[in-house]
Amino acid sequence: MDNSGVYNKSREEILTVGKKYNIPQNKLEEFLQPDRIVEIKVPVKLGSETVSFKGYRSQHNNNLGPYKGGLRFHPGVTKDEVMALSLWMSLKTAVVGIPFGGGKGGIAVDPKALSEKQLEELSREYVRKTYDVLGYDKDVPAPDVNTNPKIIDWMVDEYIKLSMMNGKGSTPLNKLFATFTGKSKNGLSGRTEATGFGGVTVLKELARKLKLEPKKQTVAVMGFGNVGYYFAELASKAGFQIVAVSDSKGGIVKKSGDEFIPLDIPLVFDCKQEKGSLAGCYCAGGVCDTRGGQMITNEELLNLPVDILIPAALEDVINENNMQNIKAKIIIEMANGPVSPAAYHYLTQKGVIIVPDILANSGGVAGSYIEWEQNVEDKKYKKEDVLKRLEKMMQDAFENVWDQSKKNKTDLKEASYLVAINKILNQ
Ligand code: NAD
């Protein structure tokens, strides 16, 4: 995707909201500009050659606490992209009410073209080059696109080694661990499902406000990875009828005549694990068989006559080309930016309620905050306590945004921006 100018587009969007609500433009301009952007070369030995990849860390704003945000390894990573993503992190942490600011970083590299050893070297070199700007009380990275707990564990290990050499040795080990979240070692029980869990909490709150009975709501979920799978499983447990799911290769539905048959999500998951794809995993009511099962494309999934649509895979999947075909009355943006601004406007005008990503998927960063706190306080939290706390955080965040939208008679995206901007500028 061409991301050129994405930071400016994001900036304009926020400035427009600021103007509408008479937020002082100079204060807003000051906030929008990242505090610092670190640009580095990350050399890695590939065979007999050493190749340098471009790396970044954008520390956007720390009015509310240390910079917080993921690190992505992807050929499309640019300075502009990390600036925009770090701005969205500043807004997201504020919406969900955690004492963190916003940051984002990455390396412009295709990690799939590297061996495991080269990937480890790349990860460790990134930490060596950014060591001075990181810290549990300064800037706390996490996994993002193409990075995972294993990569984060290498980074923590390197960070601890450097700290021992560079005089931060007096910082207790637990606080050194707190410098990164999304770890497998000393990580948080419950972090894996945190984003999906947070999204389902938001959906339940919305259903309560709208007086919708979960068992009468049909739901289609695009994406069956970390976010999509847990969303589908937990929403199904909460009584919603998950009638379609998909991954990059396409999706499945099961029908009896015109009626959808709700899918048995854990069984669909097991079937996909076994077969490597969703094709044929028509599992419902404890059995998987082909009766009424149908493969659909991702585009067809988006157009299904369901009540609720959950884009949980990629950005910009609902856009000017397909917005007229959307039949759902509720969309929960579990991926980052799955509904383009034009489609958001069009669908909202038509009465569709769209929960924006900075609220809907903020359970991930809220979980990261709990992980950070657990490390800083040198404790070990139980999963049930983590999820209970996360639920309350998401309920409060939803309530604030909902109240703001009622007060200003506006949609949930604009309301989320207002909640975030007011917190950041008035702290
Ligand atoms: P993931 O890699 O675990 O899963 C992605 C899923 O999307 C996979 O099932 C994949 O098959 C599917 N997919 C890929 N291309 C597709 C296509 N063209 N059509 C349909 N499906 C496709 O990723 P994830 O962690 O679940 O993240 C999904 C989205 O949620 C991303 O936008 C991510 O930035 C966002 N997000 C994730 C978290 C988190 O905690 N994981 C937090 C906030 C936001």
Side-chain angles (χ1 to χ4, degrees):
M1 182 186 142
D2 174 17
N3 270 328
S4 56
V6 64
Y7 168 74
N8 270 331
K9 280 188 213 147
S10 308
R11 186 178 160 277
E12 288 304 323
E13 203 177 338
I14 305 298
L15 283 173
T16 307
V17 174
K19 267 195 195 120
K20 183 169 165 191
Y21 292 94
N22 296 321
I23 295 167
Q25 292 285 292
N26 56 342
K27 274 180 97 177
L28 206 48
E29 291 271 13
E30 167 67 22
F31 156 69
L32 286 165
Q33 185 62 27
D35 290 346
R36 168 158 58 181
I37 301 156
V38 178
E39 284 186 66
I40 53 173
K41 282 205 295 197
V42 193
V44 178
K45 210 158 184 314
L46 304 181
S48 56
E49 251 191 293
T50 297
V51 178
S52 282
F53 298 96
K54 290 208 81 169
Y56 307 91
R57 183 73 185 166
S58 171
Q59 298 184 322
H60 181 262
N61 184 276
N62 63 355
N63 281 15
L64 299 175
Y67 304 105
K68 182 85 193 86
L71 288 175
R72 57 177 58 181
F73 290 175
H74 191 275
V77 166
T78 61
K79 179 175 166 183
D80 186 68
E81 185 190 63
V82 293
M83 280 168 69
L85 293 168
S86 65
L87 158 60
W88 294 113
M89 285 308 298
S90 293
L91 299 172
K92 198 180 284 190
T93 51
V95 165
V96 75
I98 53 178
F100 276 147
K104 201 76 162 195
I107 305 177
V109 63
D110 177 7
K112 292 178 186 108
L114 302 182
S115 67
E116 179 159 319
K117 204 165 175 326
Q118 290 161 347
L119 190 59
E120 177 173 351
E121 189 45 33
L122 183 88
S123 309
R124 288 181 181 276
E125 184 63 17
Y126 183 91
V127 173
R128 290 193 281 269
K129 288 282 170 69
T130 53
Y131 174 78
D132 287 338
V133 301
L134 304 180
Y136 77 95
D137 52 354
K138 283 201 234 170
D139 186 351
V140 183
D144 196 80
V145 175
N146 291 335
T147 51
N148 54 31
K150 190 173 190 178
I151 290 176
I152 295 295
D153 286 350
W154 288 327
M155 290 187 164
V156 176
D157 185 62
E158 193 62 33
Y159 186 79
I160 292 173
K161 264 193 209 155
L162 291 167
S163 300
M164 297 304 166
M165 287 183 329
N166 291 350
K168 278 193 206 169
S170 54
T171 307
L173 196 58
N174 54 300
K175 289 189 174 168
L176 297 178
F177 271 103
T179 302
F180 292 81
T181 61
K183 305 173 289 284
S184 67
K185 198 173 161 203
N186 288 330
L188 185 77
S189 176
R191 174 63 188 90
T192 316
E193 59 264 61
T195 309
F197 178 89
V200 172
T201 305
V202 164
L203 173 60
K204 287 199 282 191
E205 291 304 298
L206 181 64
R208 217 164 46 80
K209 292 283 182 204
L210 302 175
K211 301 192 173 26
L212 302 175
E213 249 186 281
K215 69 174 191 292
K216 292 192 180 149
Q217 307 306 312
T218 53
V219 184
V221 182
M222 179 189 195
F224 208 54
N226 176 270
V227 177
Y229 168 67
Y230 281 108
F231 189 99
E233 197 211 297
L234 298 168
S236 166
K237 268 197 190 140
F240 293 90
Q241 309 287 304
I242 312 297
V243 299
V245 293
S246 71
D247 62 18
S248 60
K249 296 181 196 133
I252 50 167
V253 284
K254 194 164 170 135
K255 281 182 163 183
S256 169
D258 278 346
E259 292 281 301
F260 287 118
I261 302 175
L263 298 168
D264 187 327
I265 298 301
L267 269 192
V268 171
F269 180 80
D270 291 346
C271 172
K272 183 186 159 162
Q273 292 295 97
E274 203 180 301
K275 295 188 176 181
S277 123
L278 284 168
C281 293
Y282 308 118
C283 310
V287 285
C288 303
D289 60 33
T290 53
R291 277 176 302 162
Q294 214 180 305
M295 274 302 286
I296 51 171
T297 63
N298 271 294
E299 205 53 43
E300 284 167 339
L301 178 135
L302 293 174
N303 302 340
L304 286 174
V306 290
D307 300 301
I308 302 169
L309 199 52
I310 311 295
L314 305 173
E315 73 259 39
D316 216 25
V317 290
I318 301 173
N319 52 46
E320 278 162 287
N321 300 324
N322 62 5
M323 61 193 185
Q324 291 88 354
N325 307 327
I326 303 293
K327 298 176 191 71
K329 286 280 164 279
I330 293 175
I331 299 175
I332 314 278
E333 289 193 316
M334 290 307 294
N336 285 318
V339 181
S340 76
Y344 195 102
H345 180 72
Y346 170 86
L347 291 166
T348 304
Q349 291 292 308
K350 271 185 53 182
V352 178
I353 296 178
I354 309 179
V355 183
D357 51 6
I358 58 169
L359 170 61
N361 69 31
S362 62
V365 76
S368 290
Y369 167 67
I370 301 174
E371 178 178 341
W372 174 87
E373 187 197 89
Q374 171 189 264
N375 293 142
V376 168
E377 295 185 0
D378 205 10
K379 291 182 176 151
K380 184 76 196 150
Y381 296 154
K382 281 201 222 116
K383 184 164 161 178
E384 72 242 42
D385 295 335
V386 169
L387 295 182
K388 203 180 268 175
R389 209 169 143 194
L390 197 55
E391 184 173 37
K392 175 85 173 68
M393 289 162 96
M394 296 306 296
Q395 286 168 336
D396 290 349
F398 177 82
E399 198 65 32
N400 278 340
V401 170
W402 184 263
D403 286 352
Q404 188 69 256
S405 87
K406 291 292 154 213
K407 191 172 124 202
N408 290 302
K409 297 188 176 48
T410 189
D411 60 63
L412 295 175
K413 180 148 103 170
E414 199 162 283
S416 298
Y417 290 166
L418 284 172
V419 166
I421 293 166
N422 286 333
K423 271 193 195 159
I424 295 164
L425 298 188
N426 301 324
Q427 48 68 50

